[in-house]
């Protein structure tokens, strides 16, 4: 007997339901990939001997290509500061043109043991001078510098003293002045806690503010949690030494009219970063003909929150300097 229209519709609905159930059964559920701020194995790590002890340098790419040297910020190392950004798809045109050398400040690498009690941590000038040992170890004549925060200050120092060895700089949240009283007091409290009690909540809160500015959890709760966990993996005693070195930094001693940095600079910050004013001051001390200042909206930690915009800016900047064509 022929089926009625209503029976046909019911049958079709049953078939659709059965097919849907079959389709759903065939779908394999996958847990979301865990975000990792540890080394992913893309780099070859080497120890480089310097006058102030060995430092870890991670190398990625063909060593016959032009060199790009990175230097990380406080509370981070090469993997946690740069790995995710350099793995970003829009950074591939840059990676294809360069060999990347990631410098780690003494004792800041993954799994670093506490530095000896009698170890005198290098000053910011001494950290900058260690770059010469890296260049000699790998046979690098000149390089592009890419630094964040404290690392940006170190690379700026080196470029100011050895402009013939630096082709250009990409600097994020770079400060060019001495630490103010507020920064000095806050940092002193945190370094004492790091030495006596390890990574306290107060120290974590400070590092989150230093990297992201305020209201990070409201902008990206997951990213904030990842970095809070990351900071708890840092050797607190070694970090306290690095922070102290940054706190004791001298003024770069540059001005637009006298003794300014002679190489092209891409000066970057995030609009929500606590270091915007520092980058503005730094920008005012650079040669305007060789400097580009970029403030990226809706972020504090630009490499993590706006990687696409930063990658595009870096690519265009390097194209203007004759690279990445």
């Amino acid at each position: 007997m022929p089926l009625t229209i209503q029976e046909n519709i019911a049958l079709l609905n049953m078939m659709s339901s059965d097919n849907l159930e079959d389709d759903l059964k065939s779908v394999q559920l996958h847990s979301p990939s865990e975000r990792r701020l540890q080394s992913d194995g893309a780099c070859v790590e080497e120890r480089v001997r310097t006058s102030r002890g060995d430092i870890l340098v991670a190398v990625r790419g063909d060593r016959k290509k032009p060199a790009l040297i990175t230097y990380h910020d406080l509370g981070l190392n090469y993997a946690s500061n740069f790995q995710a950004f350099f793995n970003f798809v829009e950074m591939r045109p840059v990676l294809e043109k360069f060999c990347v050398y990631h410098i780690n400040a003494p004792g800041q690498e993954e799994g670093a043991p506490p530095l000896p009690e009698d170890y005198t941590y290098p000053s910011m000038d001494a950290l900058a001078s260690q770059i010469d040992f890296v260049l000699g170890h790998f046979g690098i004549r000149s390089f592009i510098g890419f630094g964040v925060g404290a690392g940006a200050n170190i690379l700026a120092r080196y470029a100011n003293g050895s402009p013939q060895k630096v082709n250009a700089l990409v600097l994020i949240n770079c400060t060019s002045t001495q630490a103010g009283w507020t920064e000095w007091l806050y940092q002193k409290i945190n370094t004492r806690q790091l030495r006596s009690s390890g990574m306290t909540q107060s120290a974590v809160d400070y590092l989150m503010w230093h990297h992201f500015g305020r209201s990070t959890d409201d902008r990206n709760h997951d990213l904030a949690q990842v970095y809070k966990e990351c900071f708890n993996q840092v050797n607190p005693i070694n970090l306290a030494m690095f922070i102290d070195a940054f706190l004791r930094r001298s003024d770069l001693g540059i001005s637009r009219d006298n003794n300014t940095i002679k190489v092209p600079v891409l000066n970057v910050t995030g609009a929500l970063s606590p270091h915007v004013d520092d980058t503005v001051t730094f920008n005012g001390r650079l040669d305007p003909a060789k400097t580009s200042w970029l403030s990226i909206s809706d972020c504090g930690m630009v490499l993590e929150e706006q990687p696409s915009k930063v990658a595009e800016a870096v690519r265009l900047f390097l194209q203007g300097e004759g690279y990445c064509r």
Side-chain angles (χ1 to χ4, degrees), residues 113-127:
L115 293 166
E117 292 185 5
D118 60 349
Y119 180 79
T120 300
Y121 207 85
S123 66
M124 296 296 281
D125 286 324
L127 289 171

Side-chain angles (χ1 to χ4, degrees), residues 42-46 57-61 63 78 99-102 138:
C43 298
V44 177
E45 297 181 349
E46 293 188 25
V57 179
V59 186
R60 178 174 182 172
R63 302 187 186 193
Y78 85 88
C99 182
V100 182
Y101 299 82
H102 298 290
F138 293 104

Side-chain angles (χ1 to χ4, degrees), residues 208 212 216-217 220-229 231:
M208 289 300 296
F212 291 97
T216 313
D217 285 290
N220 194 326
H221 177 74
D222 291 342
L223 183 62
Q225 291 304 117
V226 166
Y227 272 87
K228 287 176 182 178
E229 294 175 6
F231 297 141

Side-chain angles (χ1 to χ4, degrees), residues 204-234:
V204 171
D205 290 343
Y206 171 77
L207 289 170
M208 289 300 296
W209 172 84
H210 175 81
H211 290 290
F212 291 97
R214 301 191 183 281
S215 304
T216 313
D217 285 290
D218 295 337
R219 299 199 308 273
N220 194 326
H221 177 74
D222 291 342
L223 183 62
Q225 291 304 117
V226 166
Y227 272 87
K228 287 176 182 178
E229 294 175 6
C230 169
F231 297 141
N232 278 290
Q233 303 303 315
V234 176

